[in-house]
């Protein structure tokens, strides 16, 4: 019997990102269909089968779907057919399955997207999502941090 791995999701106006938590996965198979059908299957570390199919909220471009396997998870980037923010991940309005959760670490609101996408290049498709390319010296990332100079000034020795 097939099991469901934990799946975290986040979106941008042009893409949906799914992070499938499945360490040491083998035989990864991802299928994207234009009407918004996304299918995933893989074997776990002990050879146990994992599978799920999602009917996404909107239509997608199969040729724009990419999969990046890692040691602990698999990141799937799904290209939306039309740019825009989806109200939810799935077409159905029912409560999603318990294995499907919002990826709050990767979440980006509509008004935040412009500042985040400025630092991501076209070549680095997953750069803004994965966070590995966080080597820029721009002050953009400081927007959400307190002014450390002021904090230090308040605590004089």
């Amino acid at each position: 019997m097939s099991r469901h791995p934990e799946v975290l999701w986040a979106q941008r106006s042009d893409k949906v990102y799914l992070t499938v938590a499945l360490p040491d996965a083998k035989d990864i198979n991802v299928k994207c269909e234009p009407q918004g059908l996304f299918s995933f299957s893989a074997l776990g570390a002990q050879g146990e089968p994992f599978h799920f199919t999602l009917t996404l909220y909107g239509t997608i471009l199969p040729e724009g779907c990419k999969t990046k396997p890692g040691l602990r998870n698999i990141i799937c980037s799904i290209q939306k057919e039309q740019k825009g923010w989806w109200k939810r991940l799935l077409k159905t309005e029912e409560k999603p399955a318990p294995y499907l959760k919002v990826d709050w670490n990767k979440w980006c609101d509509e008004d935040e997207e412009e500042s985040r996408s400025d630092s991501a290049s076209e070549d680095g498709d997953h750069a803004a999502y994965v966070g590995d390319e966080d080597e820029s010296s721009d002050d953009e990332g400081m927007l959400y941090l307190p002014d450390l100079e002021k904090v230090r000034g308040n605590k004089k020795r």
Side-chain angles (χ1 to χ4, degrees):
M1 185 177 153
S2 179
R3 296 177 11 191
H4 299 270
E6 180 180 66
V7 179
L8 302 177
W9 79 280
Q11 71 171 314
R12 303 292 182 268
S13 63
D14 60 338
K15 291 183 180 4
V16 171
Y17 297 100
L18 299 178
T19 302
V20 182
L22 193 56
D24 301 318
K26 300 175 192 87
D27 298 333
I28 299 165
N29 185 20
V30 171
K31 186 176 181 185
C32 295
E33 296 180 24
Q35 69 272 24
L37 203 60
F38 177 87
S39 298
F40 174 92
S41 65
L43 295 177
Q46 275 72 47
E48 65 276 25
F50 287 86
H51 173 77
F52 66 90
T53 299
L54 303 174
T55 303
L56 301 174
Y57 182 79
T59 55
I60 59 175
L61 297 172
E63 62 275 7
C65 295
K66 298 175 185 167
T67 303
K68 183 178 178 184
L71 293 175
R72 297 186 183 275
N73 55 36
I74 299 103
I75 297 174
C76 302
S77 169
I78 303 166
Q79 182 77 42
K80 295 177 181 177
E81 183 178 49
Q82 293 182 343
K83 200 170 184 178
W85 291 83
W86 292 354
K87 290 190 248 182
R88 56 188 175 273
L89 176 64
L90 304 177
K91 189 173 287 261
T92 180
E93 292 187 30
E94 295 175 14
K95 185 176 177 182
Y99 67 87
L100 196 57
K101 301 173 183 174
V102 171
D103 190 345
W104 294 114
N105 292 326
K106 311 296 186 227
W107 191 260
C108 177
D109 288 327
E110 291 179 56
D111 55 350
E112 293 175 341
E113 182 180 35
E114 285 183 27
S115 64
R116 287 191 181 200
S117 63
D118 289 345
S119 62
S121 68
E122 289 296 319
D123 297 329
D125 186 64
H126 302 287
Y129 181 67
V130 178
D132 292 342
E133 283 85 56
D134 202 19
E135 299 171 322
S136 70
S137 61
D138 295 342
D139 288 20
E140 260 182 69
M142 299 302 286
L143 292 173
Y144 304 107
L145 297 176
D147 187 339
L148 296 178
E149 294 303 317
K150 287 181 182 176
V151 172
R152 286 187 191 137
N154 292 340
K155 296 182 181 179
K156 296 217 179 208
R157 293 179 206 177

